[in-house]
Amino acid sequence: MFVIGERINGMFTEVRKAVESRDKGAIQRLAQRQLAAGADALDVNVGPTRGKAVDNMLWLIEAVQEVTHAPICVDTPKFDVMEAAVRACRNPTIMNSTKASPAELDRFVPLAVETGCRLIALTIDETGVPRDVDGRVTMGATIVTKAMEHGLAMTDLFIDPVILPVNVAPKQPAAVMGAINQLKLISDPAPMFVLGLSNVSQNCKERSLLSRIYLAMCIGAGLNAAIMDALDEELMQAAITAEVLLEKQLYCDDYIAAYMSSR
Ligand code: THG
């Protein structure tokens, strides 16, 4: 499981304040805590911060790069912010994200190829998030076709079938798993699959429990990566355990300790 730590996001008050007051130490501590907890990469999103999005994003990236060589997942829908950010990144970079509209893919995919970045593509287009499995599979096929057309390797492409909160969209968790299953079957080689896991439990009461169980279910369906709360220890343990049970990690009695000490 490729764990992308979600916490450097202006959606969190502490991060928004740190960005607005240029408190580099607060961001760097968040980066280091997530990496120590087992994150493989760090999502970076300016969220609803005051000031220019490009300036805030470049400042955040620089703060993170000063303390780690870990991959940075640049989280913005805006092409101009994305382009400035990927050109400023020295760490390995994941572009997060493009939508599945052909016109968007025709800008984001060539940028990923030119700069050697990995790319997350959402199954969202001008009509919004698909309601069912079929809509996601159709958009997934568009994404794969465009990636091949522009020469992006499937190992560098992550499809995000977009999970919504279960309390307002109860059919979606199963539809997302169905889409991962089908898209894995119809593409050879298959791209990778990623989710913004915490969306599933937003504004729900049993947040941690919902996210944890859903992550294990999605790993069973073939999920390769998640933007998730690496600081939630039980969530990390669920991910490692699911991988042991799918023989993606070797079993030993102390598999959690072994996994964490290999980081
Ligand atoms: N797919 C991709 N990228 C994404 C998402 C996705 N990036 C953003 C988001 N979705 C994933 N990251 C988060 C980060 C935080 C929360 C949810 C998803 C979250 N935040 C608290 C909340 O809203 O309740 C903030 C609480 C606070 O203010 O402290 O839940 O789907 N590719």
Side-chain angles (χ1 to χ4, degrees), residues 192-220:
M192 317 280 269
F193 292 88
V194 66
L195 283 175
L197 179 71
S198 297
N199 301 1
V200 77
S201 61
Q202 241 166 349
N203 297 316
C204 295
K205 200 168 164 201
E206 297 289 353
R207 257 209 108 155
S208 173
L209 179 62
L210 281 166
S211 294
R212 184 180 341 139
I213 299 294
Y214 190 53
L215 179 62
M217 292 166 73
C218 287
I219 292 173

Side-chain angles (χ1 to χ4, degrees), residues 3-7 30-31 33-42 198 226-237 260:
V3 174
I4 305 169
E6 74 180 12
R7 293 295 291 265
L30 257 184
R33 278 174 62 210
Q34 293 180 93
L35 294 167
D40 299 291
L42 298 171
S198 297
I227 300 154
M228 59 186 248
D229 184 7
L231 300 181
D232 180 340
E233 199 174 324
E234 288 178 316
L235 182 64
M236 291 297 290
Q237 290 174 347
M260 290 309 298

Side-chain angles (χ1 to χ4, degrees), residues 6 11-12 75 96 120 122 160 196 198-199 202 207 227:
E6 74 180 12
M11 197 196 295
F12 294 102
D75 192 348
N96 180 23
I120 296 177
L122 308 169
D160 181 338
S198 297
N199 301 1
Q202 241 166 349
R207 257 209 108 155
I227 300 154

Side-chain angles (χ1 to χ4, degrees), residues 22-71:
R22 295 292 189 254
D23 178 359
K24 215 191 258 183
I27 300 300
Q28 293 176 335
R29 281 190 295 278
L30 257 184
Q32 280 163 328
R33 278 174 62 210
Q34 293 180 93
L35 294 167
D40 299 291
L42 298 171
D43 195 70
V44 171
N45 184 323
V46 297
T49 42
R50 271 187 278 124
K52 278 177 72 180
V54 173
D55 295 345
N56 289 345
M57 181 63 93
L58 294 181
W59 178 82
L60 266 179
I61 288 170
E62 200 45 50
V64 172
Q65 289 188 145
E66 275 180 25
V67 293
T68 179
H69 296 299

